[in-house]
Amino acid sequence: MTAGATTGTDLHWAPGTTIEWIYEGTGRFSHLPNVRPMTVVRDDKDGLVAWLAPGTPVIKPVLTDGREMRYAGPEGMFTEDRVLKLDIWHGTGILKVAPTGKPWSIWHFWAADDTFLGWYVNLEAEHRRDVAARRTSSVDHVLDLWINPDRRIDWKDEDELEGAVTTGRFTAAEATRITADAHAAVQEIEAWSPPFSDNWKDWRPDPTLRLPEAPTGYTVTHITKDLLG
């Protein structure tokens, strides 16, 4: 089977398929998604596992002067004008796992020397996939968890979730639900259920794997110098 092929009515991608992992823009920024080309490692009824390689061309929203959205602060990051930038994924790669039916994905981080650094639980909407277009789409829910190698859990970006409510990005009820989702994730972490128990931290990418091409079909205002040649 060639990379990207499916069999019969199979709704899963074969290992080696290049897909776009998309976080959709919302509100008046709905036309400004975050698009990350990734390589499928495994895809089945339990969920999608995909690799974001270092140096991969990505599309992402930035402030109009090209700076990262975080520089606008926990409220401005939801209200300040933004544009799309063609950039590359800096730093080490990330292995992402999107468990079926869960409102989060789990990201595995390594240092440059391959030392495992920990797991990042990204709270987000359950993924919707377009198999033919090779896209999986979600909406980021702002709140996150960091799990240290010793399984100690740190909560992250609580101030940004507050900013999202203040600016109308989420209602108070939606923020309460997102926080409840985080507590549900904590329960699964403490139980060390899959995908944590699947030992993806021991996985390493094929060193011969080619980088995906840059996403197309988006109106880009800024281009990182690394992609200018």
Side-chain angles (χ1 to χ4, degrees), residues 12-98:
H12 300 111
W13 292 296
T17 305
T18 297
I19 63 169
E20 290 183 349
W21 185 298
I22 298 173
Y23 288 105
E24 299 171 352
T26 58
R28 67 187 180 95
F29 305 120
S30 60
H31 61 299
L32 300 174
N34 187 313
V35 184
R36 301 174 178 180
M38 300 177 66
T39 302
V40 173
V41 175
R42 192 190 76 188
D43 187 28
D44 54 29
K45 62 180 179 58
D46 295 322
L48 170 66
V49 183
W51 170 242
L52 175 60
T56 297
V58 298
I59 296 285
K60 64 183 184 182
V62 295
L63 297 171
T64 55
D65 61 5
R67 291 181 301 156
E68 301 290 327
M69 293 304 306
R70 66 176 180 273
Y71 287 106
E75 293 185 12
M77 63 188 300
F78 301 108
T79 60
E80 291 294 317
D81 288 339
R82 62 202 66 185
V83 294
L84 288 182
K85 179 179 182 178
L86 176 60
D87 204 347
I88 64 170
W89 184 257
H90 299 277
T92 56
I94 303 175
L95 185 72
K96 298 186 181 185
V97 183

Side-chain angles (χ1 to χ4, degrees), residues 21 23 46-47 97-107 120-128 136-145 155 161 170 174-189 194-196:
W21 185 298
Y23 288 105
D46 295 322
V97 183
T100 299
K102 300 295 184 180
W104 58 71
S105 59
I106 296 103
W107 304 2
Y120 187 91
V121 179
N122 196 73
L123 277 293
E124 58 195 38
E126 183 179 349
H127 281 241
R128 296 176 294 101
T136 183
S137 301
S138 182
V139 175
D140 185 69
H141 284 170
V142 182
L143 188 64
D144 305 298
L145 303 170
W155 288 64
L161 183 59
F170 292 127
E174 288 171 330
T176 297
R177 190 197 72 238
I178 291 167
T179 302
D181 289 339
H183 283 290
V186 167
Q187 290 183 330
E188 296 203 8
I189 295 164
F196 301 103

Side-chain angles (χ1 to χ4, degrees), residues 41 49 51 95 97 106-110 113-119 149 151 192 195-206:
V41 175
V49 183
W51 170 242
L95 185 72
V97 183
I106 296 103
W107 304 2
H108 299 68
F109 282 85
W110 291 268
D113 65 357
D114 271 356
T115 300
F116 183 67
L117 298 177
W119 301 263
R151 303 188 188 182
W192 212 245
F196 301 103
S197 60
D198 292 336
N199 290 322
W200 285 109
K201 67 182 182 65
D202 298 326
W203 177 89
R204 295 297 184 274
D206 182 345

